[in-house]
Amino acid sequence: MSAAARRLQQALAPHARRLADTRIAGLVGADPARATALSLRVGPLYANFARQRFDDQALAGLYALAADAGLQDALRALFDGAMVNPSEQRPALHVALRSALGTTPVAQDAHAQARGARARMASMVDALAASAVTDIVNVGIGGSDLGPRLVVDALKDAHSGRFRVHFLTNVDGSDAFHRLRGLDPAKTAAILVSKSFGTQETLLNGTILRDWLGGGERLYAVSANVEKAQAFGVDPARVLPMWDWVGGRYSLWSTVGFAIALAIGMDGFDALLEGAAEMDAHVLEAPLDANLPVLHALTAVWNRNGLGLPTHAVLPYDERLALLPAYLQQLVMESLGKSVTPDGEPADVDTVPVLWGGAGTNSQHSFFQALHQGTQSVPADFIGTVRPDHPYAENHAALLSNLLAQTEALANGHAAEDAQKRYPGNRPSTLMLLDALTPHSLGALIALYEHSVYLQSVLWGINAFDQWGVELGKRIAGELLPAVKGEPARVEDPVTRALLAEIASRR
């Protein structure tokens, strides 16, 4: 058994057995201070953990686990640019994109590079603002799409109004076909985002954009491979840098956020980074038992390993955060979807939960039936906004009342003589509230999840920063492409051969 798995078993199993029949309503009722004692605030972000299925004794055990696992040392290693991604022999210095909390030369140099790149990006934003361009198309996939797309959509109320920003990601040609309809190529610029400038989806869609625009005059790129971008037709003066010490799913704070800066302006982009930097300072400096990302990570590990719950829902009660579950699916499941330790041994512990979710109140009329009365308990993060950016007070009051009602109903349940109308309750959740949805508060929220994911990886003894699991399918797809196009190719798998024949017969 791995050392991490042994630590988890020793720390969690006794408390899980002891609390097996304990109910959330009973925990809250027995402790009048619980509702406030299990809450934390960092700047504009408040989180309440009172409806999680642990008591003070279990929580003390979780904090002891955090100390035993060396979470504070692991955080310092992350900020200082240690080799926290051993399979690729790289640091993971996304924190250096927004804060200068690293103490080593490598961390300080990364921060200086980020500042220089941001200054170049600001100049490009100004140049585009002074041009006739009205529309921006961001071409990328994975981290080159999900982060910028989430932020641009979530902060629509902070948009400068100067540009309309669109996103093109899927290799499916129908996405490009429909995305470009209605746009004027003479008034459109495109940003091609790919670290290697070899990503299949980005190059295929980039070719469509380049041809549609009539050349590379309004093509921009964010890439570590300037030569390939130049060969594609992008002037090197319009190529912003990426670095191998920033993973794609952690990159929205970098020049990958060019589309964000065009949407909300550089002041808004800087405020986004400042919100993340506030969370960085908190996670690095706050003691373990008053540290929001630490408590969030410990809660996730308790639910996964202590209670054995295999899924996790993210439920934002703000339509502007509707893309947050999709963004977090990549952040959480690509980072934590590992079954071996960095030395290649079995992890010997259940790791990543299946993360899913959707925006309330729409979801209440969809999958909430399963949350309330299904056979599996699904822990959830509920996220709300106290102050809206619209004038419809009655709507917002209804939204918040539904948010509060759902968390209460999931925790407390409802007894009824008719079994079909009975709510079992005892379903754990965390409630997070943003004072308002601003660049600063959104930056803090996203950084909270980033740090929680890293800390979970430390507790599980896995590497959060590689993603070898996505490579095999991409390699096989490349090998099959000639066969799909009808060219001679050797296909070993008999099922694939049959499927290729079926496709060919219907063309």
PDB file of all heavy atoms in Angstrom, residues 221-253:
ATOM      1  N   ALA A 221      -1.392  34.731 -32.463  1.00  0.00           N
ATOM      2  CA  ALA A 221      -1.144  33.406 -31.902  1.00  0.00           C
ATOM      3  C   ALA A 221      -0.621  33.540 -30.481  1.00  0.00           C
ATOM      4  O   ALA A 221       0.041  34.518 -30.126  1.00  0.00           O
ATOM      5  CB  ALA A 221      -0.153  32.620 -32.753  1.00  0.00           C
ATOM      6  N   VAL A 222      -0.936  32.539 -29.682  1.00  0.00           N
ATOM      7  CA  VAL A 222      -0.348  32.361 -28.359  1.00  0.00           C
ATOM      8  C   VAL A 222       0.281  30.979 -28.379  1.00  0.00           C
ATOM      9  O   VAL A 222      -0.422  29.965 -28.470  1.00  0.00           O
ATOM     10  CB  VAL A 222      -1.411  32.462 -27.242  1.00  0.00           C
ATOM     11  CG1 VAL A 222      -0.746  32.290 -25.881  1.00  0.00           C
ATOM     12  CG2 VAL A 222      -2.150  33.783 -27.323  1.00  0.00           C
ATOM     13  N   SER A 223       1.603  30.932 -28.331  1.00  0.00           N
ATOM     14  CA  SER A 223       2.288  29.659 -28.548  1.00  0.00           C
ATOM     15  C   SER A 223       3.718  29.721 -28.032  1.00  0.00           C
ATOM     16  O   SER A 223       4.314  30.800 -27.941  1.00  0.00           O
ATOM     17  CB  SER A 223       2.295  29.317 -30.046  1.00  0.00           C
ATOM     18  OG  SER A 223       2.943  28.079 -30.276  1.00  0.00           O
ATOM     19  N   ALA A 224       4.265  28.550 -27.717  1.00  0.00           N
ATOM     20  CA  ALA A 224       5.686  28.436 -27.395  1.00  0.00           C
ATOM     21  C   ALA A 224       6.506  28.164 -28.643  1.00  0.00           C
ATOM     22  O   ALA A 224       7.743  28.173 -28.582  1.00  0.00           O
ATOM     23  CB  ALA A 224       5.897  27.313 -26.372  1.00  0.00           C
ATOM     24  N   ASN A 225       5.850  27.938 -29.776  1.00  0.00           N
ATOM     25  CA  ASN A 225       6.550  27.588 -31.003  1.00  0.00           C
ATOM     26  C   ASN A 225       6.341  28.696 -32.043  1.00  0.00           C
ATOM     27  O   ASN A 225       5.466  28.607 -32.914  1.00  0.00           O
ATOM     28  CB  ASN A 225       6.039  26.244 -31.532  1.00  0.00           C
ATOM     29  CG  ASN A 225       6.986  25.631 -32.550  1.00  0.00           C
ATOM     30  OD1 ASN A 225       7.660  26.352 -33.297  1.00  0.00           O
ATOM     31  ND2 ASN A 225       7.054  24.313 -32.587  1.00  0.00           N
ATOM     32  N   VAL A 226       7.160  29.747 -31.933  1.00  0.00           N
ATOM     33  CA  VAL A 226       7.025  30.900 -32.822  1.00  0.00           C
ATOM     34  C   VAL A 226       7.286  30.501 -34.272  1.00  0.00           C
ATOM     35  O   VAL A 226       6.631  30.993 -35.203  1.00  0.00           O
ATOM     36  CB  VAL A 226       7.975  32.031 -32.386  1.00  0.00           C
ATOM     37  CG1 VAL A 226       7.877  33.215 -33.338  1.00  0.00           C
ATOM     38  CG2 VAL A 226       7.673  32.460 -30.968  1.00  0.00           C
ATOM     39  N   GLU A 227       8.243  29.586 -34.475  1.00  0.00           N
ATOM     40  CA  GLU A 227       8.592  29.185 -35.838  1.00  0.00           C
ATOM     41  C   GLU A 227       7.413  28.544 -36.556  1.00  0.00           C
ATOM     42  O   GLU A 227       7.124  28.853 -37.719  1.00  0.00           O
ATOM     43  CB  GLU A 227       9.788  28.210 -35.819  1.00  0.00           C
ATOM     44  CG  GLU A 227      11.095  28.823 -35.357  1.00  0.00           C
ATOM     45  CD  GLU A 227      11.158  29.012 -33.839  1.00  0.00           C
ATOM     46  OE1 GLU A 227      10.302  28.434 -33.121  1.00  0.00           O
ATOM     47  OE2 GLU A 227      12.051  29.746 -33.374  1.00  0.00           O
ATOM     48  N   LYS A 228       6.706  27.647 -35.865  1.00  0.00           N
ATOM     49  CA  LYS A 228       5.553  27.003 -36.494  1.00  0.00           C
ATOM     50  C   LYS A 228       4.438  28.007 -36.743  1.00  0.00           C
ATOM     51  O   LYS A 228       3.753  27.945 -37.772  1.00  0.00           O
ATOM     52  CB  LYS A 228       5.040  25.855 -35.621  1.00  0.00           C
ATOM     53  CG  LYS A 228       5.788  24.541 -35.818  1.00  0.00           C
ATOM     54  CD  LYS A 228       5.013  23.401 -35.167  1.00  0.00           C
ATOM     55  CE  LYS A 228       5.664  22.062 -35.489  1.00  0.00           C
ATOM     56  NZ  LYS A 228       4.916  20.923 -34.910  1.00  0.00           N
ATOM     57  N   ALA A 229       4.242  28.911 -35.798  1.00  0.00           N
ATOM     58  CA  ALA A 229       3.214  29.932 -35.997  1.00  0.00           C
ATOM     59  C   ALA A 229       3.551  30.803 -37.197  1.00  0.00           C
ATOM     60  O   ALA A 229       2.674  31.152 -38.001  1.00  0.00           O
ATOM     61  CB  ALA A 229       3.086  30.783 -34.734  1.00  0.00           C
ATOM     62  N   GLN A 230       4.814  31.159 -37.342  1.00  0.00           N
ATOM     63  CA  GLN A 230       5.239  31.980 -38.475  1.00  0.00           C
ATOM     64  C   GLN A 230       5.052  31.218 -39.784  1.00  0.00           C
ATOM     65  O   GLN A 230       4.580  31.783 -40.785  1.00  0.00           O
ATOM     66  CB  GLN A 230       6.694  32.397 -38.306  1.00  0.00           C
ATOM     67  CG  GLN A 230       7.191  33.326 -39.403  1.00  0.00           C
ATOM     68  CD  GLN A 230       8.621  33.802 -39.158  1.00  0.00           C
ATOM     69  OE1 GLN A 230       9.316  33.283 -38.283  1.00  0.00           O
ATOM     70  NE2 GLN A 230       9.057  34.795 -39.921  1.00  0.00           N
ATOM     71  N   ALA A 231       5.407  29.928 -39.788  1.00  0.00           N
ATOM     72  CA  ALA A 231       5.225  29.114 -40.990  1.00  0.00           C
ATOM     73  C   ALA A 231       3.754  29.009 -41.371  1.00  0.00           C
ATOM     74  O   ALA A 231       3.413  28.866 -42.549  1.00  0.00           O
ATOM     75  CB  ALA A 231       5.816  27.721 -40.769  1.00  0.00           C
ATOM     76  N   PHE A 232       2.875  29.106 -40.380  1.00  0.00           N
ATOM     77  CA  PHE A 232       1.434  29.038 -40.631  1.00  0.00           C
ATOM     78  C   PHE A 232       0.909  30.347 -41.210  1.00  0.00           C
ATOM     79  O   PHE A 232      -0.173  30.380 -41.796  1.00  0.00           O
ATOM     80  CB  PHE A 232       0.714  28.716 -39.316  1.00  0.00           C
ATOM     81  CG  PHE A 232      -0.734  28.375 -39.470  1.00  0.00           C
ATOM     82  CD1 PHE A 232      -1.136  27.098 -39.818  1.00  0.00           C
ATOM     83  CD2 PHE A 232      -1.709  29.334 -39.263  1.00  0.00           C
ATOM     84  CE1 PHE A 232      -2.481  26.775 -39.958  1.00  0.00           C
ATOM     85  CE2 PHE A 232      -3.055  29.040 -39.403  1.00  0.00           C
ATOM     86  CZ  PHE A 232      -3.445  27.745 -39.749  1.00  0.00           C
ATOM     87  N   GLY A 233       1.675  31.426 -41.034  1.00  0.00           N
ATOM     88  CA  GLY A 233       1.257  32.708 -41.591  1.00  0.00           C
ATOM     89  C   GLY A 233       1.038  33.796 -40.575  1.00  0.00           C
ATOM     90  O   GLY A 233       0.494  34.856 -40.908  1.00  0.00           O
ATOM     91  N   VAL A 234       1.459  33.553 -39.314  1.00  0.00           N
ATOM     92  CA  VAL A 234       1.298  34.556 -38.266  1.00  0.00           C
ATOM     93  C   VAL A 234       2.601  35.342 -38.127  1.00  0.00           C
ATOM     94  O   VAL A 234       3.661  34.762 -37.918  1.00  0.00           O
ATOM     95  CB  VAL A 234       0.929  33.908 -36.916  1.00  0.00           C
ATOM     96  CG1 VAL A 234       0.652  34.992 -35.867  1.00  0.00           C
ATOM     97  CG2 VAL A 234      -0.271  32.982 -37.050  1.00  0.00           C
ATOM     98  N   ASP A 235       2.526  36.649 -38.241  1.00  0.00           N
ATOM     99  CA  ASP A 235       3.693  37.506 -38.046  1.00  0.00           C
ATOM    100  C   ASP A 235       4.227  37.293 -36.629  1.00  0.00           C
ATOM    101  O   ASP A 235       3.460  37.350 -35.656  1.00  0.00           O
ATOM    102  CB  ASP A 235       3.273  38.965 -38.238  1.00  0.00           C
ATOM    103  CG  ASP A 235       4.452  39.926 -38.220  1.00  0.00           C
ATOM    104  OD1 ASP A 235       5.429  39.679 -37.490  1.00  0.00           O
ATOM    105  OD2 ASP A 235       4.390  40.946 -38.941  1.00  0.00           O
ATOM    106  N   PRO A 236       5.541  37.032 -36.455  1.00  0.00           N
ATOM    107  CA  PRO A 236       6.100  36.830 -35.111  1.00  0.00           C
ATOM    108  C   PRO A 236       5.798  37.972 -34.147  1.00  0.00           C
ATOM    109  O   PRO A 236       5.727  37.759 -32.935  1.00  0.00           O
ATOM    110  CB  PRO A 236       7.608  36.705 -35.369  1.00  0.00           C
ATOM    111  CG  PRO A 236       7.723  36.242 -36.783  1.00  0.00           C
ATOM    112  CD  PRO A 236       6.568  36.856 -37.512  1.00  0.00           C
ATOM    113  N   ALA A 237       5.602  39.174 -34.682  1.00  0.00           N
ATOM    114  CA  ALA A 237       5.268  40.309 -33.811  1.00  0.00           C
ATOM    115  C   ALA A 237       3.883  40.155 -33.189  1.00  0.00           C
ATOM    116  O   ALA A 237       3.556  40.845 -32.226  1.00  0.00           O
ATOM    117  CB  ALA A 237       5.338  41.616 -34.607  1.00  0.00           C
ATOM    118  N   ARG A 238       3.069  39.241 -33.751  1.00  0.00           N
ATOM    119  CA  ARG A 238       1.724  39.018 -33.210  1.00  0.00           C
ATOM    120  C   ARG A 238       1.614  37.662 -32.517  1.00  0.00           C
ATOM    121  O   ARG A 238       0.523  37.105 -32.383  1.00  0.00           O
ATOM    122  CB  ARG A 238       0.684  39.132 -34.336  1.00  0.00           C
ATOM    123  CG  ARG A 238       0.571  40.527 -34.935  1.00  0.00           C
ATOM    124  CD  ARG A 238      -0.714  40.700 -35.733  1.00  0.00           C
ATOM    125  NE  ARG A 238      -0.782  39.798 -36.864  1.00  0.00           N
ATOM    126  CZ  ARG A 238      -0.268  40.038 -38.075  1.00  0.00           C
ATOM    127  NH1 ARG A 238       0.350  41.186 -38.304  1.00  0.00           N
ATOM    128  NH2 ARG A 238      -0.383  39.160 -39.045  1.00  0.00           N
ATOM    129  N   VAL A 239       2.763  37.124 -32.080  1.00  0.00           N
ATOM    130  CA  VAL A 239       2.781  35.859 -31.340  1.00  0.00           C
ATOM    131  C   VAL A 239       3.139  36.152 -29.885  1.00  0.00           C
ATOM    132  O   VAL A 239       4.198  36.703 -29.592  1.00  0.00           O
ATOM    133  CB  VAL A 239       3.791  34.852 -31.928  1.00  0.00           C
ATOM    134  CG1 VAL A 239       3.769  33.553 -31.120  1.00  0.00           C
ATOM    135  CG2 VAL A 239       3.478  34.569 -33.387  1.00  0.00           C
ATOM    136  N   LEU A 240       2.234  35.793 -28.989  1.00  0.00           N
ATOM    137  CA  LEU A 240       2.476  35.940 -27.550  1.00  0.00           C
ATOM    138  C   LEU A 240       2.993  34.625 -26.985  1.00  0.00           C
ATOM    139  O   LEU A 240       2.611  33.543 -27.450  1.00  0.00           O
ATOM    140  CB  LEU A 240       1.185  36.348 -26.837  1.00  0.00           C
ATOM    141  CG  LEU A 240       0.714  37.778 -27.117  1.00  0.00           C
ATOM    142  CD1 LEU A 240      -0.734  37.959 -26.672  1.00  0.00           C
ATOM    143  CD2 LEU A 240       1.624  38.782 -26.427  1.00  0.00           C
ATOM    144  N   PRO A 241       3.847  34.683 -25.963  1.00  0.00           N
ATOM    145  CA  PRO A 241       4.520  33.458 -25.494  1.00  0.00           C
ATOM    146  C   PRO A 241       3.676  32.603 -24.571  1.00  0.00           C
ATOM    147  O   PRO A 241       2.783  33.082 -23.870  1.00  0.00           O
ATOM    148  CB  PRO A 241       5.737  34.013 -24.740  1.00  0.00           C
ATOM    149  CG  PRO A 241       5.255  35.332 -24.203  1.00  0.00           C
ATOM    150  CD  PRO A 241       4.344  35.888 -25.269  1.00  0.00           C
ATOM    151  N   MET A 242       3.990  31.303 -24.577  1.00  0.00           N
ATOM    152  CA  MET A 242       3.537  30.351 -23.565  1.00  0.00           C
ATOM    153  C   MET A 242       4.784  29.664 -23.024  1.00  0.00           C
ATOM    154  O   MET A 242       5.844  29.682 -23.671  1.00  0.00           O
ATOM    155  CB  MET A 242       2.570  29.316 -24.146  1.00  0.00           C
ATOM    156  CG  MET A 242       1.260  29.885 -24.617  1.00  0.00           C
ATOM    157  SD  MET A 242       0.173  28.645 -25.370  1.00  0.00           S
ATOM    158  CE  MET A 242      -0.354  27.697 -23.963  1.00  0.00           C
ATOM    159  N   TRP A 243       4.658  29.021 -21.884  1.00  0.00           N
ATOM    160  CA  TRP A 243       5.821  28.398 -21.263  1.00  0.00           C
ATOM    161  C   TRP A 243       5.478  26.977 -20.814  1.00  0.00           C
ATOM    162  O   TRP A 243       4.331  26.678 -20.485  1.00  0.00           O
ATOM    163  CB  TRP A 243       6.270  29.214 -20.043  1.00  0.00           C
ATOM    164  CG  TRP A 243       6.502  30.658 -20.348  1.00  0.00           C
ATOM    165  CD1 TRP A 243       7.634  31.208 -20.886  1.00  0.00           C
ATOM    166  CD2 TRP A 243       5.590  31.742 -20.158  1.00  0.00           C
ATOM    167  NE1 TRP A 243       7.477  32.567 -21.032  1.00  0.00           N
ATOM    168  CE2 TRP A 243       6.240  32.932 -20.590  1.00  0.00           C
ATOM    169  CE3 TRP A 243       4.285  31.838 -19.650  1.00  0.00           C
ATOM    170  CZ2 TRP A 243       5.628  34.179 -20.532  1.00  0.00           C
ATOM    171  CZ3 TRP A 243       3.676  33.077 -19.592  1.00  0.00           C
ATOM    172  CH2 TRP A 243       4.349  34.235 -20.025  1.00  0.00           C
ATOM    173  N   ASP A 244       6.504  26.116 -20.779  1.00  0.00           N
ATOM    174  CA  ASP A 244       6.242  24.726 -20.394  1.00  0.00           C
ATOM    175  C   ASP A 244       5.985  24.579 -18.901  1.00  0.00           C
ATOM    176  O   ASP A 244       5.579  23.514 -18.444  1.00  0.00           O
ATOM    177  CB  ASP A 244       7.374  23.798 -20.854  1.00  0.00           C
ATOM    178  CG  ASP A 244       8.720  24.117 -20.221  1.00  0.00           C
ATOM    179  OD1 ASP A 244       8.783  24.955 -19.294  1.00  0.00           O
ATOM    180  OD2 ASP A 244       9.719  23.505 -20.644  1.00  0.00           O
ATOM    181  N   TRP A 245       6.180  25.659 -18.128  1.00  0.00           N
ATOM    182  CA  TRP A 245       5.884  25.592 -16.690  1.00  0.00           C
ATOM    183  C   TRP A 245       4.452  26.022 -16.371  1.00  0.00           C
ATOM    184  O   TRP A 245       4.090  26.187 -15.197  1.00  0.00           O
ATOM    185  CB  TRP A 245       6.889  26.416 -15.870  1.00  0.00           C
ATOM    186  CG  TRP A 245       7.316  27.733 -16.443  1.00  0.00           C
ATOM    187  CD1 TRP A 245       8.436  27.982 -17.193  1.00  0.00           C
ATOM    188  CD2 TRP A 245       6.653  28.999 -16.293  1.00  0.00           C
ATOM    189  NE1 TRP A 245       8.508  29.322 -17.522  1.00  0.00           N
ATOM    190  CE2 TRP A 245       7.437  29.967 -16.975  1.00  0.00           C
ATOM    191  CE3 TRP A 245       5.482  29.415 -15.644  1.00  0.00           C
ATOM    192  CZ2 TRP A 245       7.079  31.317 -17.036  1.00  0.00           C
ATOM    193  CZ3 TRP A 245       5.127  30.753 -15.695  1.00  0.00           C
ATOM    194  CH2 TRP A 245       5.922  31.685 -16.393  1.00  0.00           C
ATOM    195  N   VAL A 246       3.629  26.175 -17.402  1.00  0.00           N
ATOM    196  CA  VAL A 246       2.203  26.440 -17.209  1.00  0.00           C
ATOM    197  C   VAL A 246       1.406  25.405 -17.998  1.00  0.00           C
ATOM    198  O   VAL A 246       1.500  25.344 -19.225  1.00  0.00           O
ATOM    199  CB  VAL A 246       1.812  27.856 -17.684  1.00  0.00           C
ATOM    200  CG1 VAL A 246       0.309  28.060 -17.502  1.00  0.00           C
ATOM    201  CG2 VAL A 246       2.581  28.919 -16.921  1.00  0.00           C
ATOM    202  N   GLY A 247       0.622  24.593 -17.299  1.00  0.00           N
ATOM    203  CA  GLY A 247      -0.238  23.633 -17.976  1.00  0.00           C
ATOM    204  C   GLY A 247      -1.457  24.317 -18.560  1.00  0.00           C
ATOM    205  O   GLY A 247      -1.905  25.363 -18.072  1.00  0.00           O
ATOM    206  N   GLY A 248      -2.009  23.735 -19.599  1.00  0.00           N
ATOM    207  CA  GLY A 248      -3.127  24.359 -20.301  1.00  0.00           C
ATOM    208  C   GLY A 248      -4.303  24.683 -19.408  1.00  0.00           C
ATOM    209  O   GLY A 248      -4.895  25.756 -19.497  1.00  0.00           O
ATOM    210  N   ARG A 249      -4.654  23.764 -18.500  1.00  0.00           N
ATOM    211  CA  ARG A 249      -5.832  23.987 -17.668  1.00  0.00           C
ATOM    212  C   ARG A 249      -5.581  24.996 -16.554  1.00  0.00           C
ATOM    213  O   ARG A 249      -6.496  25.329 -15.799  1.00  0.00           O
ATOM    214  CB  ARG A 249      -6.329  22.660 -17.101  1.00  0.00           C
ATOM    215  CG  ARG A 249      -5.300  21.872 -16.302  1.00  0.00           C
ATOM    216  CD  ARG A 249      -5.796  20.443 -16.077  1.00  0.00           C
ATOM    217  NE  ARG A 249      -4.825  19.607 -15.398  1.00  0.00           N
ATOM    218  CZ  ARG A 249      -3.831  18.954 -16.013  1.00  0.00           C
ATOM    219  NH1 ARG A 249      -3.669  19.076 -17.323  1.00  0.00           N
ATOM    220  NH2 ARG A 249      -3.008  18.177 -15.326  1.00  0.00           N
ATOM    221  N   TYR A 250      -4.338  25.468 -16.450  1.00  0.00           N
ATOM    222  CA  TYR A 250      -3.988  26.502 -15.465  1.00  0.00           C
ATOM    223  C   TYR A 250      -3.553  27.800 -16.151  1.00  0.00           C
ATOM    224  O   TYR A 250      -2.920  28.645 -15.530  1.00  0.00           O
ATOM    225  CB  TYR A 250      -2.838  26.004 -14.580  1.00  0.00           C
ATOM    226  CG  TYR A 250      -3.161  24.771 -13.785  1.00  0.00           C
ATOM    227  CD1 TYR A 250      -2.903  23.496 -14.289  1.00  0.00           C
ATOM    228  CD2 TYR A 250      -3.740  24.859 -12.522  1.00  0.00           C
ATOM    229  CE1 TYR A 250      -3.202  22.353 -13.560  1.00  0.00           C
ATOM    230  CE2 TYR A 250      -4.048  23.722 -11.788  1.00  0.00           C
ATOM    231  CZ  TYR A 250      -3.773  22.476 -12.313  1.00  0.00           C
ATOM    232  OH  TYR A 250      -4.074  21.348 -11.590  1.00  0.00           O
ATOM    233  N   SER A 251      -3.885  27.965 -17.426  1.00  0.00           N
ATOM    234  CA  SER A 251      -3.212  28.992 -18.230  1.00  0.00           C
ATOM    235  C   SER A 251      -4.034  30.243 -18.496  1.00  0.00           C
ATOM    236  O   SER A 251      -3.535  31.169 -19.146  1.00  0.00           O
ATOM    237  CB  SER A 251      -2.797  28.386 -19.578  1.00  0.00           C
ATOM    238  OG  SER A 251      -3.928  28.032 -20.355  1.00  0.00           O
ATOM    239  N   LEU A 252      -5.279  30.326 -18.021  1.00  0.00           N
ATOM    240  CA  LEU A 252      -6.088  31.492 -18.378  1.00  0.00           C
ATOM    241  C   LEU A 252      -5.492  32.790 -17.854  1.00  0.00           C
ATOM    242  O   LEU A 252      -5.781  33.877 -18.358  1.00  0.00           O
ATOM    243  CB  LEU A 252      -7.525  31.321 -17.881  1.00  0.00           C
ATOM    244  CG  LEU A 252      -7.810  31.353 -16.376  1.00  0.00           C
ATOM    245  CD1 LEU A 252      -8.070  32.770 -15.877  1.00  0.00           C
ATOM    246  CD2 LEU A 252      -8.980  30.449 -16.030  1.00  0.00           C
ATOM    247  N   TRP A 253      -4.617  32.697 -16.824  1.00  0.00           N
ATOM    248  CA  TRP A 253      -3.976  33.876 -16.235  1.00  0.00           C
ATOM    249  C   TRP A 253      -2.845  34.408 -17.102  1.00  0.00           C
ATOM    250  O   TRP A 253      -2.339  35.509 -16.850  1.00  0.00           O
ATOM    251  CB  TRP A 253      -3.420  33.515 -14.863  1.00  0.00           C
ATOM    252  CG  TRP A 253      -4.278  32.574 -14.100  1.00  0.00           C
ATOM    253  CD1 TRP A 253      -4.105  31.220 -13.972  1.00  0.00           C
ATOM    254  CD2 TRP A 253      -5.466  32.889 -13.358  1.00  0.00           C
ATOM    255  NE1 TRP A 253      -5.109  30.673 -13.204  1.00  0.00           N
ATOM    256  CE2 TRP A 253      -5.955  31.680 -12.806  1.00  0.00           C
ATOM    257  CE3 TRP A 253      -6.157  34.075 -13.099  1.00  0.00           C
ATOM    258  CZ2 TRP A 253      -7.094  31.612 -12.021  1.00  0.00           C
ATOM    259  CZ3 TRP A 253      -7.289  34.015 -12.314  1.00  0.00           C
ATOM    260  CH2 TRP A 253      -7.751  32.801 -11.787  1.00  0.00           C
TER     261      TRP A 253
END
